[in-house]
Amino acid sequence: MKKNKKIRVWSATILIMSMVMAFLSACSNGGKEESASPTAGSSPSASAAATSTEPAATKGDTKDHVTLTWYYPGNVQQMTDLASVEAEMNKIVNKEINASIKLQPIDWGAYDQKMNVVSAGGDSFDLVFTAPWSNDYYTNVARGALLPLDDLLKQYAPKLYSTVPEKVWNATRIKGKIYGAINWQIVAMPYGPSLPKKYVDKYQIDLDSLKTPKDFTPYFEKWNESYPPFLGGDHFSIAPPLYGFDSIGGDTSVGWIRLDDANLTVVNQYASEAFKDLAETYYLWREKGYIPKDAAMVTTEKRTARNKAGQFEMGTLSTPVKPGVDQEAESAYKEPFVSRRVTKPLITTNRAIATMTGISRTSKNPERAAMFLELINTNKELYRLMTRGIENKHYTKVNEDLIKLIPDSGYNPDTDWMFGDQFNGYYTNPVAAEAKIWEQTEKLNNEADASPILGFVFDAEPVKSELAQTESVYQEYILGLLTGALNPKDKLPEFLDKLEKAGASKIIAEKQRQLDAWKNQNQ
C-alpha cells in the first residue's frame, strides 16, 4: 500500500475521532472514568486536586534545569501563537519544578505516522498523547515505547493519582502496570445523532426516528444544499456500543465481543451483519450522490473548512451525547445543535482510557516528566494556559470560570480533554456554565451501565506482528468501504479474506484466551 494512501486513511479516521471527542465533556471526580471535550471548557473543579494551586509534588532532585518535550495531535492551524503560550507556561513550570516544556503539536492527519517514525528512530522525548484510537496505547506498550508509571505517579504525581478512581487506573493496566496517565473527565458514553438545528428545521427531521444510520436516507432524499450531506469515514470503530459491541485492544483491531453475549465470545466485527449493513448503506448513499465521489480524498483541512463555512455533515449516530453536547457544539461552530441518545450510557475500558499522556521510554528525565503531569493536572493557571491561551489575547473573562474566545486569536487548540483534568478548565458557553454541566456529567457516570469486560486490558505482545499486518489491511480497505467507493458485495469478502491471511484468527484466539483467563479470575 502506498504511503500517501495510508496517510489519507488515518487523516479521515483520526479527524472523525477528534470531531467526536470534541463533543465529549468532563465529569467531576465523583467516581468514574475519563472522557473528552474541547468546547465547554470547565467549571470549578469537583475535587481538591482540581482546585489546588499548590506546587506539584517534587520528591526528587530538581537542582538541574531540564527541558521536557511533549508530543500531541491537534489543529496546528489554530495554534499559530503557540510560542507566546509556551513562554507563559514556562514561567510557571520553571518556578515550580525547575523545567521548561517544549510543546510539539502535530497535525491530526500526520500524528500517528509521525509518532511511529519518532519511536522507531529512538528519538529522545518525554511526554506523548496516547489512546486506543490515536498513537495506539496497546501497540506502544507492546513495543516498549512507554515507561510504566505506577511508582512515578505515586511518588511525583500523588494528587493526580488520587483524583482518578482505582478502577479507572485498572483499565490502563497491561500485565499489571500503568503506562498512561488518565486525563480525567467523562467516562460514560451514550451515542446518538447531534445535528445542526437548521437541518432539523428545514428537513423536518424527527430525531427520535434515527435509530440506525440508514434512517437518514429519507432526509437525504430531500437534501438540496450546494454540498453533499455526508462524507463517510469509519464511524463504526469509534462507537462499538452503537452496534452492540465492545472492543478489545485497539478500536480498529480485529476481535470484539457482543454486549449481549454472556459467554463473551470474541468475533471478527468486520464479518458482522452490522458492519455489512453500514458498508452497504454507505455504498448506496454514494451511488445516489449523498456521499461525494472524492470523499476518500477529503483532507482534514477541507473538513475543517467545511465546518467553518457552516457546511456540516449528518449521517452518523456515533456522537457521544452527554450533558452539554448541544451547548458545546454551538460554542464551537456558532450554530445551534440538537441531539438525541440512541444508546444508554456505557462505561467501557477503551472509553475509560480514551485520552492519556504517557512518558516515553527514551525520556532522560522521567521523574521531572511525572512532576509536570502533576503540575498540569493540579495547577489551574497552567492548565488554562495550555487549553485556552492568554487572557485578553486569546480570550476575555466573563467571570472566574466563564470566558469568551477571541476569534482568530492565534491560539485555540479546542482539545481541553487532551491535556489533563478538564475540571480545571474554563466554560466557554454560559448556558453550560449555568446548567452546571459537570454535576450532570457526574450523575450520568454514576447511573451508567458497565461493559461486561470493563477492566480487561489486552496484552498485544503475543500477536503484535499479526496486529500490524491486519492494521495494514484495515487501512487499505476501510476508507473505500466506508465512503461507498468500494462495492461491499465484492470488496467486503476480499477485505475479510485478506484479514484472515494477515492473522485475524490468531488475534481472535489470543484475545479469547486472555479474556477467558480474566473472566475466570473475576467470577
Side-chain angles (χ1 to χ4, degrees):
M1 180 177 56
K2 295 181 179 180
K3 183 180 292 185
N4 63 343
K5 182 176 181 181
K6 181 183 292 187
I7 294 172
R8 290 199 304 270
V9 173
W10 276 111
S11 177
T13 303
I14 295 300
L15 177 70
I16 289 168
M17 190 61 201
S18 68
M19 291 172 68
V20 167
M21 294 298 280
F23 282 89
L24 304 180
S25 176
C27 77
S28 72
N29 76 327
K32 293 289 186 249
E33 298 124 34
E34 69 68 30
S35 134
S37 154
T39 52
S42 180
S43 73
S45 170
S47 69
T51 57
S52 171
T53 56
E54 295 299 316
T58 55
K59 298 177 183 177
D61 183 9
T62 58
K63 181 179 178 181
D64 296 327
H65 184 88
V66 302
T67 297
L68 303 171
T69 303
W70 186 3
Y71 283 104
Y72 55 92
N75 295 320
V76 178
Q77 309 94 312
Q78 296 179 196
M79 293 180 270
T80 55
D81 196 24
L82 182 71
S84 65
V85 175
E86 182 181 284
E88 289 300 309
M89 290 177 64
N90 278 328
K91 293 177 183 178
I92 300 173
V93 178
N94 184 56
K95 176 183 177 182
E96 299 294 347
I97 62 172
N98 193 23
S100 299
I101 189 71
K102 179 65 177 176
L103 303 176
Q104 295 283 359
I106 307 296
D107 189 75
W108 280 110
Y111 183 64
D112 278 64
Q113 185 196 36
K114 171 67 175 180
M115 294 319 302
N116 283 335
V117 171
V118 169
S119 294
D123 295 5
S124 178
F125 65 98
D126 303 282
L127 299 154
V128 63
F129 177 79
T130 184
W133 59 275
S134 178
N135 189 28
D136 190 278
Y137 177 63
Y138 302 102
T139 300
N140 273 312
V141 174
R143 67 188 179 192
L146 301 175
L147 287 175
L149 302 182
D150 305 71
D151 294 338
L152 288 168
L153 289 172
K154 291 175 182 177
Q155 183 170 358
Y156 302 109
K159 291 180 182 177
L160 165 59
Y161 187 77
S162 64
T163 296
V164 180
E166 190 63 25
K167 66 179 178 180
V168 182
W169 288 120
N170 288 341
T172 74
R173 295 184 187 276
I174 298 179
K175 292 184 178 178
K177 296 291 185 180
I178 297 169
Y179 291 89
I182 295 286
N183 296 318
W184 183 232
Q185 5 193 347
I186 193 175
V187 293
M189 297 297 173
Y191 295 97
S194 179
L195 306 176
K197 189 174 183 296
K198 64 182 180 183
Y199 296 161
V200 175
D201 293 342
K202 182 174 182 177
Y203 298 107
Q204 297 182 313
I205 298 173
D206 177 8
L207 290 175
D208 293 327
S209 72
L210 302 175
K211 304 298 183 184
T212 69
K214 65 178 60 176
D215 293 331
F216 282 97
T217 302
Y219 303 109
F220 285 173
E221 291 170 354
K222 302 176 184 179
W223 188 263
N224 65 355
E225 309 298 331
S226 61
Y227 47 90
F230 194 49
L231 295 175
D234 188 359
H235 292 277
F236 181 76
S237 297
I238 63 174
L242 182 62
Y243 302 94
F245 291 97
D246 192 4
S247 55
I248 299 173
D251 284 334
T252 62
S253 69
V254 176
W256 291 2
I257 60 104
R258 298 183 188 277
L259 292 169
D260 61 358
D261 178 15
N263 295 320
L264 302 183
T265 302
V266 182
V267 300
N268 183 344
Q269 71 272 22
Y270 300 116
S272 68
E273 284 299 314
F275 183 80
K276 179 182 177 184
D277 287 347
L278 190 64
E280 289 177 345
T281 298
Y282 284 10
Y283 181 73
L284 176 64
W285 286 354
R286 186 176 186 270
E287 290 295 294
K288 294 194 173 189
Y290 307 148
I291 297 177
K293 300 294 184 183
D294 65 345
M297 303 294 294
V298 175
T299 63
T300 301
E301 292 77 15
K302 288 182 180 179
R303 284 179 181 258
T304 301
R306 272 185 49 133
N307 288 339
K308 285 186 176 181
Q311 299 179 4
F312 303 103
E313 294 181 69
M314 65 178 192
T316 179
L317 304 175
S318 59
T319 300
V321 182
K322 45 57 171 180
V325 64
D326 296 333
Q327 292 90 344
E328 291 183 4
E330 182 175 354
S331 178
Y333 302 120
K334 314 308 177 191
E335 296 259 6
F337 274 65
V338 290
S339 58
R340 288 291 188 278
R341 291 179 186 170
V342 173
T343 65
K344 294 181 179 180
L346 185 73
I347 305 172
T348 67
T349 296
N350 277 3
R351 297 293 76 80
I353 61 173
T355 166
M356 297 181 291
T357 303
I359 296 179
S360 171
R361 175 72 68 175
T362 62
S363 174
K364 296 178 181 177
N365 300 284
E367 295 84 4
R368 207 75 63 92
M371 293 178 198
F372 178 80
L373 289 176
E374 178 82 333
L375 195 61
I376 194 71
N377 279 278
T378 59
N379 186 298
K380 275 189 175 183
E381 184 182 0
L382 181 65
Y383 177 79
R384 290 176 171 185
L385 274 167
M386 182 70 189
T387 56
R388 294 300 177 185
I390 301 168
E391 184 180 0
N392 295 324
K393 187 175 187 181
H394 305 120
Y395 66 86
T396 57
K397 271 189 176 181
V398 177
N399 59 44
E400 188 62 27
D401 295 299
L402 176 64
I403 62 170
K404 183 177 181 180
L405 301 177
I406 297 174
D408 303 317
S409 69
Y411 191 79
N412 183 24
D414 219 18
T415 49
D416 300 31
W417 47 267
M418 187 182 293
F419 304 126
D421 185 341
Q422 195 175 10
F423 295 122
N424 285 337
Y426 287 115
Y427 280 116
T428 59
N429 184 286
V431 177
E434 186 175 352
K436 298 182 179 180
I437 292 302
W438 302 149
E439 287 85 347
Q440 293 185 38
T441 304
E442 181 179 12
K443 184 174 184 292
L444 178 74
N445 283 340
N446 289 334
E447 295 176 351
D449 293 334
S451 165
I453 59 171
L454 177 63
F456 170 65
V457 180
F458 176 59
D459 176 13
E461 175 66 27
V463 287
K464 61 182 180 182
S465 295
E466 289 78 10
L467 285 167
Q469 292 163 15
T470 53
E471 185 66 23
S472 292
V473 176
Y474 163 87
Q475 292 182 26
E476 181 181 354
Y477 282 88
I478 200 67
L479 201 53
L481 287 169
L482 294 186
T483 59
L486 298 179
N487 188 338
K489 181 178 180 180
D490 303 312
K491 293 301 180 179
L492 180 54
E494 185 178 302
F495 173 45
L496 295 174
D497 180 62
K498 286 194 175 182
L499 283 175
E500 186 60 31
K501 291 176 179 176
S505 288
K506 186 175 179 181
I507 294 170
I508 289 171
E510 180 60 26
K511 288 185 175 184
Q512 189 71 67
R513 184 189 68 79
Q514 293 185 30
L515 182 58
D516 288 345
W518 175 84
K519 183 171 64 172
N520 291 335
Q521 291 174 355
N522 288 275
Q523 283 180 339

